[in-house]
């Protein structure tokens, strides 16, 4: 009762109590709120209770204090010295997030699906998001921002996505990127979670941190590629394996592709041929092993970004430069993988990779159409081996290629396959355009 009383006063009367109080005064309400939140409202052991106890707690009057307690707790953090911020607010919030993530990992699949436990998980997410959103981030040092990132990462598995929440996450990482030492610590944090991502909670953390990594300052840091590129490749390869948490691993792989697209748009492809070839080989092999619509869309984004930058470099270097060699290799590799999938009767993988080839083809200069593009990509062989690809290709050409390129490619298609009917379909362009619009890459990978 004493804990609840102190917490209630701190939650509901904080604005009245703070008038004229010195900075050190804030430690008292911060401590009371920490105890209320972490020991009474949402203790980390709560999920171990029986359903009857959870129902009683959900219906209790004290739980209604959570929204006001979260806001008041955040206000305390903004007025405390850094040491007190960490001990009274930020570190307890991180520990609470970690305890809930660990407890959730230990729940059975059936328990995770129950509305009662999902309700309390959503409250933890609400708590962490509210505290971080209402804390004046400019008052936090590097350690406080990193701890906030970890807290957000732990509860991301309970995420209820909103634009406001995304904005909060971006604000946290932007504040951190301006602080000395944050980027190196952030990249180390990503590496630590990736090294132990077998558990569902750690997979969720990697997914979240890959999204946060799509920040211009982080991507532009000297250690970014050496730290993150092996993680990207590891996530992609893991997404191609079957077994426990395969859906979650596929989601992490899609996020890794999305981050790759953002990286390529910012850093370009010059002097990175071997690295990009390794990326495409790993991506194709993983997709052939375990095709997924989300991974397919993300791989289209990254391939398009790669092909676009390579095409611009080829314009500068001419046909004898490294960019043209990489462009040729890209088309040959994707085309060969499609035929290989068709040979193995893996039609879902073949059609997904065909969409990836289409994304790369959009960036091909008019002077390479229809040849040598057809020969390098093995397009004619693909269209002959898999008739459904003919309509897929024609829809893509109609919707996404420039006018002169479109005319050349449609003429080539009609010459090779006179009975093709997609060109006469009244909604062909509409369908193609809607697919493009639906799969536009986001501003960041978050």
């Amino acid at each position: 009762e004493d804990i609840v009383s102190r917490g209630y006063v701190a939650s509901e009367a904080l604005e009245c109590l703070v008038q004229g109080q010195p900075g050190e005064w804030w430690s008292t309400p911060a401590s009371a709120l920490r105890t209320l939140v972490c020991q009474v409202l949402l203790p980390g052991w709560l999920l171990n209770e029986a359903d009857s106890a959870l129902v009683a707690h959900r219906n209790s009057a004290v739980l209604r204090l959570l929204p006001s307690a979260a806001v008041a707790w955040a206000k305390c953090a903004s007025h405390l010295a850094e040491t007190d911020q960490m001990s009274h607010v930020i570190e307890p919030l991180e520990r609470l997030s970690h305890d809930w993530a660990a407890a959730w990992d230990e729940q059975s699949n059936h328990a995770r699906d129950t509305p009662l436990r999902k309700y309390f998980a959503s409250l933890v997410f609400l708590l962490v998001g509210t505290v971080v959103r209402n804390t004046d981030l400019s008052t936090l040092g590097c350690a406080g921002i990193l701890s906030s990132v970890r807290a957000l990462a732990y509860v991301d598995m309970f995420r209820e996505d909103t634009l406001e929440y995304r904005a909060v996450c971006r604000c946290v990482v932007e504040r951190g990127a301006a602080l000395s030492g944050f980027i190196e610590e952030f990249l180390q944090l990503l590496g630590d979670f990736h090294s132990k991502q077998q558990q569902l909670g750690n997979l969720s953390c990697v997914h979240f941190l890959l999204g946060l990594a799509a920040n211009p300052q982080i991507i532009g840091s000297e250690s970014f590629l050496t730290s993150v590129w092996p993680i990207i490749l590891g996530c992609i390869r893991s997404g191609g394996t079957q077994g426990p948490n395969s859906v979650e691993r596929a989601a992490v792989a899609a996020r890794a592709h999305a981050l790759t697209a953002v990286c390529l748009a910012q850093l370009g492809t010059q002097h990175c041929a071997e690295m990009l070839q390794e990326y495409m080989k790993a991506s194709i092999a993983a997709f052939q092993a375990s095709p997924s619509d989300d991974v397919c869309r993300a791989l289209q984004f990254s391939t398009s970004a790669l092909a676009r930058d390579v095409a611009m470099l080829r314009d500068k270097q001419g046909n004898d430069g490294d960019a043209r060699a990489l462009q040729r290799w890209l088309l040959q590799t994707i085309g060969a993988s499609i035929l290989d999938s068709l040979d193995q009767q893996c039609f879902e993988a073949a059609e997904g990779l065909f969409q990836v080839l289409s994304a790369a083809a959009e960036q091909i200069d008019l002077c390479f159409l229809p040849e040598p593009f057809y020969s390098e990509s093995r397009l004619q062989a693909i269209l002959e081996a898999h008739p459904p690809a003919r309509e897929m290709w024609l829809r893509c050409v109609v919707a996404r290629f420039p006018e002169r390129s479109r005319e050349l490619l449609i003429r080539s298609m009609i010459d090779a396959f006179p009975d093709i009917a997609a060109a006469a379909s009244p909604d062909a362009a509409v369908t193609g355009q809607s697919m493009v619009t639906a799969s536009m890459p986001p501003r960041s990978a978050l």
Side-chain angles (χ1 to χ4, degrees):
E1 291 182 3
D2 183 59
I3 292 174
V4 174
S5 298
R6 290 173 180 271
Y8 175 78
V9 172
S11 301
E12 301 298 327
L14 188 64
E15 293 295 339
C16 298
L17 295 173
V18 298
Q19 301 299 325
Q21 299 293 345
E24 58 269 18
W25 176 89
W26 290 86
S27 295
T28 300
S31 177
L33 289 163
R34 176 194 62 199
T35 305
L36 174 67
V37 171
C38 299
Q39 295 185 22
V40 177
L41 300 183
L42 290 173
W45 44 260
L46 191 61
L47 285 177
N48 297 327
E49 295 295 296
D51 285 357
S52 58
L54 292 177
V55 170
H57 190 53
R58 182 187 63 186
N59 297 332
S60 66
V62 70
L63 192 60
R64 297 172 194 165
L65 285 173
L66 184 62
S68 57
V71 173
W73 202 20
K75 289 181 178 178
C76 291
S78 302
H79 290 83
L80 293 169
E82 185 173 359
T83 302
D84 290 335
Q85 281 178 337
M86 297 300 293
S87 61
H88 289 312
V89 183
I90 306 301
E91 287 179 346
L93 184 70
E94 180 191 340
R95 283 196 298 272
L96 184 68
S97 301
H98 172 271
D99 291 347
W100 271 87
W104 193 259
D105 264 335
E106 293 174 357
Q107 298 289 302
S108 66
N109 290 333
H110 173 72
R112 290 174 188 160
D113 288 336
T114 59
L116 184 60
R117 280 169 167 71
K118 284 184 176 180
Y119 169 76
F120 282 102
S122 69
L123 288 187
V124 176
F125 175 82
L126 173 67
L127 166 69
V128 175
T130 300
V131 173
V132 174
R133 183 188 64 194
N134 286 279
T135 299
D136 183 355
L137 297 178
S138 66
T139 66
L140 299 182
C142 183
I145 294 293
L146 278 167
S147 187
S148 299
V149 168
R150 285 192 291 268
L152 290 166
Y154 287 130
V155 300
D156 196 63
M157 66 171 68
F158 312 135
R159 180 174 185 162
E160 296 177 9
D161 208 7
T162 64
L163 291 177
E164 181 185 21
Y165 178 70
R166 293 190 184 197
V168 168
C169 295
R170 283 197 291 267
C171 286
V172 171
V173 78
E174 286 169 5
R175 164 61 182 165
L179 298 173
S180 175
F182 171 83
I183 292 178
E184 290 73 18
E185 292 290 336
F186 174 86
L187 296 177
Q188 180 62 49
L189 178 64
L190 174 58
D192 290 343
F193 278 120
H194 176 257
S195 66
K196 49 186 179 182
Q197 64 171 326
Q198 292 82 6
Q199 291 183 311
L200 177 63
N202 288 326
L203 278 170
S204 177
C205 290
V206 172
H207 184 270
F208 176 74
L209 294 175
L210 286 173
L212 288 188
N215 170 275
Q217 285 72 36
I218 293 178
I219 292 174
S221 66
E222 291 184 4
S223 56
F224 178 80
L225 283 179
T226 55
S227 299
V228 176
W229 199 253
I231 295 174
I232 287 176
L233 294 178
C235 291
I236 290 169
R237 290 177 176 130
S238 177
T241 58
Q242 300 296 327
N245 300 324
S246 58
V247 173
E248 289 77 12
R249 283 187 280 106
V252 172
R255 178 59 60 87
H257 286 303
L259 177 58
T260 301
V262 178
C263 295
L264 293 174
Q266 179 173 334
L267 301 178
T269 59
Q270 195 165 16
H271 309 306
C272 299
E274 290 186 8
M275 182 179 74
L276 294 171
Q277 287 173 346
E278 183 181 15
Y279 165 76
M280 288 305 303
K281 288 177 182 177
S283 300
I284 290 170
F287 187 80
Q288 287 176 314
S290 183
S292 155
D293 289 343
D294 289 342
V295 172
C296 181
R297 282 190 291 270
L299 182 54
Q300 287 179 69
F301 299 151
S302 60
T303 302
S304 180
L306 192 165
R308 184 183 305 112
D309 192 77
V310 168
M312 290 190 293
L313 284 176
R314 190 213 64 81
D315 289 342
K316 298 176 182 178
Q317 297 175 0
N319 292 339
D320 298 325
D322 293 338
R324 174 61 186 137
L326 181 57
Q327 185 181 62
R328 184 184 304 112
W329 179 90
L330 179 65
L331 297 174
Q332 291 172 341
T333 301
I334 301 175
S337 70
I338 296 170
L339 290 172
D340 180 59
S341 295
L342 290 174
D343 287 343
Q344 298 181 39
Q345 305 291 301
C346 299
F347 298 118
E348 183 181 1
E351 292 184 357
L353 290 171
F354 189 77
Q355 294 180 58
V356 174
L357 177 63
S358 300
E362 289 178 58
Q363 312 302 329
I364 299 298
D365 191 85
L366 178 64
C367 66
F368 294 104
L369 300 176
E371 289 292 346
F373 165 68
Y374 260 56
S375 299
E376 291 171 354
S377 66
R378 308 284 300 278
L379 181 61
Q380 185 67 26
I382 294 169
L383 297 177
E384 290 175 353
H386 191 58
R390 301 169 193 173
E391 185 171 345
M392 293 171 60
W393 174 243
L394 198 53
R395 287 177 180 271
C396 171
V397 170
V398 169
R400 295 154 64 176
F401 277 70
E403 183 177 357
R404 293 187 64 191
S405 299
R406 184 165 62 238
E407 292 174 357
L408 277 174
L409 292 171
I410 290 176
R411 191 181 306 122
S412 298
M413 275 290 292
I414 293 176
D415 288 345
F417 306 101
D419 59 340
I420 189 71
S425 175
D427 64 342
V430 175
T431 303
Q433 184 62 43
S434 64
M435 290 169 58
V436 175
T437 304
S439 61
M440 287 289 286
R443 278 186 59 220
S444 86
L446 182 64

